[in-house]
Amino acid sequence: MSRRPYLREVSRTAWFFKRPRYLRYMAREVTCIFIGIYTVILLVGVYRLSQGRAEYEAFLMALQRPASVVFHVAALAFALYNSFTWFNVAPKALPIQVGEEFLPDSVVAGGHYVVWVALSLFILFWAGVL
Amino acid sequence: MSENRMAIRQVELEVLRYNPETDDEPKFQRYSVPCKNEWCILDALNYLKDNLDPTLSYRWSCHMQVCGSCGMMINGEPKLACKAMVRDYAGVIRIEPLSHFPIERDLVAVADDFMAKLKRVKPYLIPGEKRSLADGEYQQTPEQLARYRKYAMCINCMLCYAACPEYGLTPKFIGPGAISLAHRYNQDSRDGGRDLRQEEIATNEGVWECTFVGACSEVCPKHVDPASALQQVKVASTVDWYLEHFMSWVKK
Ligand code: SF4
Ligand code: FES
């Protein structure tokens, strides 16, 4: 009897609609695009600054346009989502063994949150916001 | 549960059938199976085969979640048929062979690819230190055991492959199960084979094909947590790379 295995096609473009867990994964991945765009805006700002005071102030004005404000609020929300999802899976990449046990995931993830908050406060303080 | 364990309920099963000798493609077939409340899906399939349709093919052996042969898609989720309980499903239960693998016949998936990958990662102890019989056994502390114990629980059921979209899209990916087993031996204090395994798994077909969807860990019936194993291999391989390229003076 000869074998004639049947191969089922996997959709290259719509596979992530098949299970909710795939959609959650895509949400984590797609939100990083907003962080990327934000980084580009930041670099443009530095470039404008290098061009002189007038250019930089024009850049700051542009940031205050409603579309820009909407983008920044959205980017912040997506950046938070992205960070939370990554921090929550960090314990999988960094299990810490103490004797015969492993530290609970909440401790490893919690450590990430603590460092995150501390760094954010430091930067806000340093930038004169606080 | 207060219901009678022996209570019988008529359950509709929709089973994907494929006969390589006569069919050009698989199609679903409906069966109505009288199921007891205490039955797992495998019991329902066994009843079906014994009483309704002896032509149905599927794999199983232990009926107790250790042999790893009864993996199949149940309502779209990779499950062990001997672990999934009929009473946990309402309505029609759809049963298909494991996703991402070719179908040999009916619910039997072709496991050749997984078997070949398993072999490639050398999932056995390669002693680091050669000892003669007279030297006695290799000893290990409970801490050293804890380092890899979780990954030693794998029963090669391939559910993680059926859950992994990366494997579905890129079948050359060595995949969660095999890489977790490589990690299991790499983590073993008695083992010295990591360099050999790294040649297979610290590659584009190995861990770097993984994008950390995490589906493997969600479906693994033995809580092996393959996603964790793969991320650890990535971290360790990255450290290797830095040591090799920037700190070549640091003795390994
Ligand atoms: S890692 Fe889990 S799901 Fe994958 S083959 Fe092993 S036991 Fe099955
Ligand atoms: S029959 Fe052995 S694992 Fe299900």
Side-chain angles (χ1 to χ4, degrees):
Chain A
M1 198 185 346
S2 68
R3 295 174 70 178
R4 202 159 64 91
Y6 182 88
L7 193 60
R8 290 160 287 177
E9 284 296 321
V10 175
S11 160
R12 303 227 141 236
T13 46
W15 60 267
F16 46 87
F17 290 117
K18 276 189 77 179
R19 312 299 309 166
R21 66 168 69 95
Y22 297 165
L23 266 182
R24 263 183 276 130
Y25 158 76
M26 278 314 241
R28 185 189 79 198
E29 298 294 297
V30 167
T31 46
C32 79
I33 292 173
F34 289 84
I35 301 179
I37 298 174
Y38 179 76
T39 311
V40 172
I41 295 178
L42 211 59
L43 288 175
V44 171
V46 173
Y47 175 65
R48 285 285 182 236
L49 187 62
S50 76
Q51 289 179 319
R53 188 177 196 107
E55 283 79 1
Y56 185 62
E57 265 158 18
F59 169 75
L60 290 183
M61 286 306 289
L63 283 187
Q64 288 168 22
R65 282 202 222 119
S68 161
V69 173
V70 170
F71 169 79
H72 280 82
V73 172
L76 176 65
F78 288 135
L80 287 175
Y81 179 82
N82 188 275
S83 308
F84 280 117
T85 47
W86 275 112
F87 286 168
N88 292 343
V89 291
K92 287 207 187 293
L94 295 170
I96 298 176
Q97 188 179 352
V98 180
E100 288 174 47
E101 302 294 331
F102 285 83
L103 286 184
D105 285 359
S106 56
V107 173
V108 180
H112 281 74
Y113 284 103
V114 169
V115 173
W116 183 38
V117 169
L119 277 179
S120 301
L121 287 177
F122 171 74
I123 289 171
L124 289 175
F125 185 74
W126 185 57
V129 180
L130 292 185
Chain B
M1 201 169 276
S2 58
E3 292 159 69
N4 181 356
R5 289 171 60 231
M6 305 304 264
I8 291 181
R9 173 169 70 102
Q10 209 62 32
V11 174
E12 300 289 306
L13 299 185
E14 204 164 58
V15 182
L16 197 67
R17 303 292 313 268
Y18 171 66
N19 180 344
E21 286 145 53
T22 56
D23 300 345
D24 283 327
E25 56 182 33
K27 54 188 178 309
F28 282 102
Q29 189 168 346
R30 267 281 183 121
Y31 299 95
S32 186
V33 182
C35 294
K36 290 190 182 150
N37 190 41
E38 57 170 14
W39 276 7
C40 58
I41 301 284
L42 180 58
D43 292 320
L45 289 175
N46 286 344
Y47 181 94
L48 194 170
K49 188 172 172 79
D50 290 348
N51 300 281
L52 306 173
D53 186 349
T55 67
L56 180 69
S57 298
Y58 51 97
R59 284 199 189 103
W60 71 285
S61 173
C62 69
H63 195 281
M64 48 188 282
Q65 305 155 36
V66 285
C67 75
S69 48
C70 68
M72 48 190 79
M73 307 303 286
I74 302 178
N75 283 354
E77 279 282 299
K79 297 270 184 194
L80 295 179
C82 66
K83 192 176 182 193
M85 303 303 286
V86 173
R87 60 169 175 263
D88 293 335
Y89 295 87
V92 183
I93 307 177
R94 198 173 244 236
I95 307 177
E96 300 158 81
L98 283 179
S99 289
H100 304 154
F101 294 97
I103 306 175
E104 188 81 64
R105 175 187 288 261
D106 296 339
L107 298 174
V108 177
V110 180
D112 303 5
D113 182 54
F114 173 66
M115 292 305 164
K117 284 167 177 168
L118 207 51
K119 204 169 155 189
R120 271 171 67 188
V121 304
K122 302 183 172 60
Y124 39 81
L125 268 186
I126 303 173
E129 160 212 4
K130 297 270 174 261
R131 291 165 72 103
S132 69
L133 269 184
D135 295 331
E137 56 278 86
Y138 291 88
Q139 296 205 330
Q140 195 161 57
T141 66
E143 282 93 330
Q144 289 168 329
L145 171 68
R147 236 162 91 82
Y148 69 81
R149 194 166 187 280
K150 177 156 91 168
Y151 311 110
M153 296 294 148
C154 176
I155 58 173
N156 300 347
C157 67
M158 312 192 298
L159 298 196
C160 49
Y161 286 77
C164 175
E166 225 43 75
Y167 178 64
L169 295 167
T170 315
K172 67 178 172 39
F173 177 31
I174 297 174
I179 297 180
S180 301
L181 274 172
H183 183 62
R184 173 250 175 276
Y185 288 96
N186 287 346
Q187 294 284 90
D188 193 312
S189 57
R190 301 162 294 180
D191 184 84
R194 178 166 180 266
D195 288 349
L196 290 173
R197 292 187 202 100
Q198 284 293 91
E199 282 171 28
E200 297 292 340
I201 66 170
T203 61
N204 289 339
E205 294 180 15
V207 277
W208 301 113
E209 189 60 54
C210 166
T211 58
F212 202 175
V213 178
C216 49
S217 294
E218 288 181 41
V219 303
C220 175
K222 292 288 155 183
H223 308 289
V224 168
D225 203 351
S228 177
L230 270 74
Q231 305 329 302
Q232 290 171 56
V233 172
K234 286 183 193 171
V235 171
S237 306
T238 307
V239 171
D240 284 352
W241 191 87
Y242 276 101
L243 287 180
E244 196 178 315
H245 286 83
F246 296 117
M247 305 170 104
S248 39
W249 63 88
V250 177
K251 278 270 167 283
K252 277 208 187 173

